[in-house]
Amino acid sequence: MHMARIFLGLDSSTQSLSAVVIDLDTRKVVYEKSLNFDQALPQFKTRNGVLPNRDPLVKHSSPRLWAAALDLIFAQMKRDGVALDKILAVSGCGQQHGSVYLTDQTEAALASLDPQKSLEENLDGVFARKTSPIWMDSSTAKECLEIRKKLGGIKFTASRTGSDTFERFTGPQIRKFCKTEPKAYAQTAHIALVSSFMASLLSGKLAPIDFGDGAGMNLMDIRRKNWNHDALKATAPGLTKKLPPLAEAGSIIGPVSNYFVQKYGLNPEARATVWTGDNPASVVGLGLIKPGQVAISLGTSDTFFGTMDKCQTDESGEGHVFGSPAGGYMTLICFKNGSLAREKIREHYKIADWKKFGELVAQTPPGNHGGILLPWFEAEIVPRVNQPGIHRFQLDEKDAAANCRAIFEAQMLSMRLHSQWMQVAPAKILVTGGAANNRALLQVLADVMNCRVERIEVAKSAALGSALQAAHGWLAADGQAVKWEKLVAGFTAPVPGSAVLPNKAATKVYDQMLDQYAACEYEAMSGPTI
Ligand code: XUL
């Protein structure tokens, strides 16, 4: 009898743990579940997955919470009748940059997880630090400066490690821990990322860190894909011994821990594989496999994802380069003033809804008669703007329609300008997120980027990408290596009929407008708010 080929992908994100089960033969997602940390595990007292802290710059969570959530999601899958005994491999992804500090008792504890106890109980004596700094933490400005200086400035830091130093990145976080809690640092035998910590629980062994999540640490050589000794030295003493090896996402660690077999009926033959970060997993879940493929998420912040075969890094230090689970590289550029900024404009002009917003945009011509609006309601990541401010150039503040067009044109021109360093000319751009439902906005995007745009619906793209990663790793180990493109086909198709094509005349307008926009950015960043 033909055995169904079933794979499990998990996503340990900031606020929840999600599971996606795929059937490779029917090419269907057969199960999806999300477990919200605050609701399911109130004893940890997190708010939106974060522990309360008096210092607004400090954002930590609890590694015990993540372990407890893993127990809960397996119990839930068992209750829901998921065929856990048929799963061939498990992979996953975690919120990037977050770190877990483990004692020298960890290996023994992982190797003998007792199914009679909870995972949390099994981990007594394992944590050298009770809490884990996560990606929302911005308390390491000083450490960022120190590491960047030792590595020779922004350009060198970015070209070696894939990114400039950022406060949320793991290296600066480790340095701060070492400086402020030297005793606990000395007791730390192993440092894991959220992704490798979760993979360690599943495999019952200290798991490697993959090239995707490893690149979010300011510690990995982005080109050679090994630990960069200069970066390690610049960060903290004795780090070489504390980090696990690096490995490809999805590669097999070994069989799943007996704990999950005994307790939840997971297939004893199921393979535990190397996890990655949530953004690298999303790239696979969105179907971005070939070099030059691009997706834009128009969400709370706007995010630009792209794939590259050769490693290009951003000399200005604004964009990040991570390894892609599908081989090659991916970039992530995050624009903080996304839909929240659009919403501020909508509210300011008392526009009833997004449909009306789109109609107003459509009433105005591409290029907006030269009117430009820089919408930095909050300090912006790209370009680096520390001082929030709204800047208008040749734009009448009273003209609601022109302001609606202006904000979105500026956001798209900014994306085009600040993604040029990647040197990729995409054949099409996939768009996701709330604003992707608005055709008038998609037309502006297509025109500014001079590219076909298609909408893609991707709830749980990170967990789906992880399930596909599990399948890829399992097939490769089974001698059935399969091309990524073939693997993702059918799981990640754009919404039929959603294509928007660029308008040649409009594209020409934006080609000319790009320099003017860049000059406005330059002026706004050095000059007064208008
Ligand atoms: C990426 C980043 C976030 C987290 C969210 O650099 O910090 O996207 O990965 O989970």
Side-chain angles (χ1 to χ4, degrees):
M1 201 183 77
H2 177 71
M3 274 258 295
R5 294 180 301 167
I6 293 176
F7 298 92
L8 168 62
L10 296 163
D11 171 18
S12 181
S13 73
T14 316
Q15 302 195 38
S16 56
L17 176 64
S18 304
V20 160
V21 179
I22 56 167
D23 181 330
L24 202 57
D25 298 302
T26 58
R27 311 203 75 71
K28 282 209 165 69
V29 170
V30 292
Y31 179 80
E32 278 187 44
K33 194 60 122 216
S34 247
L35 192 145
N36 179 282
F37 295 147
D38 298 359
Q39 282 158 23
L41 293 154
Q43 66 272 34
F44 287 95
K45 300 193 165 55
T46 50
R47 282 200 66 181
N48 301 322
V50 185
L51 293 168
N53 196 297
R54 263 174 298 155
D55 184 344
L57 299 181
V58 171
K59 305 279 182 206
H60 284 210
S61 189
S62 164
R64 285 180 180 275
L65 160 71
W66 301 327
L70 192 59
D71 260 335
L72 284 188
I73 202 125
F74 268 97
Q76 183 71 46
M77 285 192 281
K78 192 174 170 186
R79 267 203 305 282
D80 290 345
V82 175
L84 290 169
D85 58 334
K86 303 251 165 25
I87 284 170
L88 297 178
V90 185
S91 200
C93 62
Q95 52 173 314
Q96 292 198 254
H97 318 296
S99 42
V100 183
Y101 299 79
L102 303 162
T103 64
D104 59 4
Q105 294 174 44
T106 309
E107 274 173 292
L110 288 172
S112 57
L113 295 174
D114 176 1
Q116 304 300 323
K117 296 184 187 165
S118 69
L119 267 181
E120 217 197 319
E121 286 162 346
N122 271 292
L123 297 178
D124 272 347
V126 153
F127 298 106
R129 190 184 194 181
K130 275 195 187 143
T131 62
S132 290
I134 63 161
W135 66 278
M136 296 166 87
D137 189 286
S138 37
S139 66
T140 64
K142 206 157 163 251
E143 288 73 19
C144 285
L145 281 174
E146 289 164 355
I147 297 171
R148 180 195 294 139
K149 199 168 160 217
K150 283 196 201 153
L151 289 181
I154 294 179
K155 188 176 150 188
F156 283 108
T157 307
S159 74
R160 283 185 192 189
T161 73
S163 298
D164 182 23
T165 49
F166 280 86
E167 288 158 315
R168 67 188 191 284
F169 273 47
T170 323
Q173 290 290 343
I174 294 173
R175 183 167 177 79
K176 182 184 164 202
F177 179 53
C178 169
K179 277 166 54 182
T180 55
E181 296 179 54
K183 268 201 191 132
Y185 180 75
Q187 275 161 17
T188 302
H190 312 284
I191 298 176
L193 293 181
V194 179
S195 58
S196 68
F197 171 66
M198 298 297 278
S200 302
L201 298 179
L202 270 160
S203 60
K205 284 185 191 146
L206 283 169
I209 286 176
D210 89 300
F211 308 130
D213 226 9
M217 301 173 82
N218 285 135
L219 294 174
M220 190 185 94
D221 185 312
I222 192 70
R223 290 184 171 79
R224 298 201 181 104
K225 297 189 173 171
N226 55 17
W227 296 122
N228 180 297
H229 287 284
D230 291 340
L232 264 54
K233 234 171 70 194
T235 300
L239 205 43
T240 315
K241 284 206 204 102
K242 299 185 203 286
L243 294 170
L246 288 156
E248 205 164 303
S251 56
I252 309 281
I253 303 170
V256 289
S257 160
N258 189 44
Y259 175 90
F260 296 92
V261 177
Q262 297 293 323
K263 196 161 186 162
Y264 304 111
L266 193 59
N267 177 3
E269 298 294 314
R271 304 283 105 180
T273 72
V274 175
W275 286 35
T276 188
D278 54 0
N279 293 300
S282 278
V283 156
V284 171
L286 290 164
L288 306 183
I289 303 301
K290 283 200 285 189
Q293 286 183 323
V294 166
I296 292 173
S297 165
L298 299 172
T300 312
S301 44
D302 291 340
T303 321
F304 183 102
F305 289 111
T307 49
M308 308 181 273
D309 51 352
K310 284 204 206 75
C311 181
Q312 291 280 350
T313 48
D314 180 9
E315 289 191 0
S316 74
E318 292 169 344
H320 307 305
V321 178
F322 303 140
S324 162
Y329 294 92
M330 64 162 288
T331 183
L332 174 93
I333 315 175
C334 186
F335 304 83
K336 202 174 193 181
N337 288 283
S339 76
L340 288 184
R342 291 188 283 277
E343 215 162 289
K344 288 251 165 72
I345 291 289
R346 185 168 75 87
E347 279 166 11
H348 180 76
Y349 292 101
K350 302 193 170 55
I351 298 161
D353 52 29
W354 290 110
K355 189 166 166 274
K356 183 75 192 153
F357 187 97
E359 281 165 20
L360 289 173
V361 170
Q363 276 170 24
T364 47
N368 219 6
H369 304 294
I372 288 179
L373 167 70
L374 302 182
W376 299 327
F377 287 91
E378 291 202 38
E380 180 53 73
I381 300 174
V382 178
R384 277 174 211 252
V385 178
N386 298 327
Q387 233 13 60
I390 316 307
H391 307 261
R392 288 186 172 82
F393 299 84
Q394 294 178 50
L395 182 68
D396 179 0
E397 195 184 343
K398 290 190 218 80
D399 186 342
N403 277 269
C404 290
R405 172 171 283 277
I407 183 172
F408 199 66
E409 279 187 345
Q411 289 173 325
M412 295 304 105
L413 285 162
S414 176
M415 262 193 199
R416 176 167 161 184
L417 184 68
H418 296 285
S419 60
Q420 274 174 342
W421 59 270
M422 282 180 65
Q423 298 178 23
V424 297
K428 76 172 172 197
I429 296 176
L430 298 171
V431 193
T432 154
N437 289 318
N438 200 315
R439 274 189 96 84
L441 297 188
L442 292 195
Q443 187 64 57
V444 174
L445 200 169
D447 293 343
V448 172
M449 297 289 186
N450 189 16
C451 190
R452 179 191 177 94
V453 168
E454 290 180 37
R455 188 158 72 83
I456 186 160
E457 278 170 355
V458 281
K460 305 211 175 65
S461 61
L464 170 61
S466 299
L468 291 163
Q469 184 172 283
H472 191 268
W474 184 86
L475 288 166
D478 198 47
Q480 308 179 45
V482 61
K483 283 216 161 84
W484 271 102
E485 252 180 290
K486 213 172 142 200
L487 188 68
V488 302
F491 284 107
T492 57
V495 178
S498 68
V500 175
L501 301 176
N503 172 305
K504 283 225 165 69
T507 293
K508 236 175 149 180
V509 172
Y510 292 124
D511 283 348
Q512 283 163 7
M513 197 173 173
L514 194 65
D515 281 348
Q516 189 194 345
Y517 169 80
C520 291
E521 261 193 9
Y522 182 77
E523 192 181 320
M525 286 164 79
S526 39
T529 303
I530 298 165

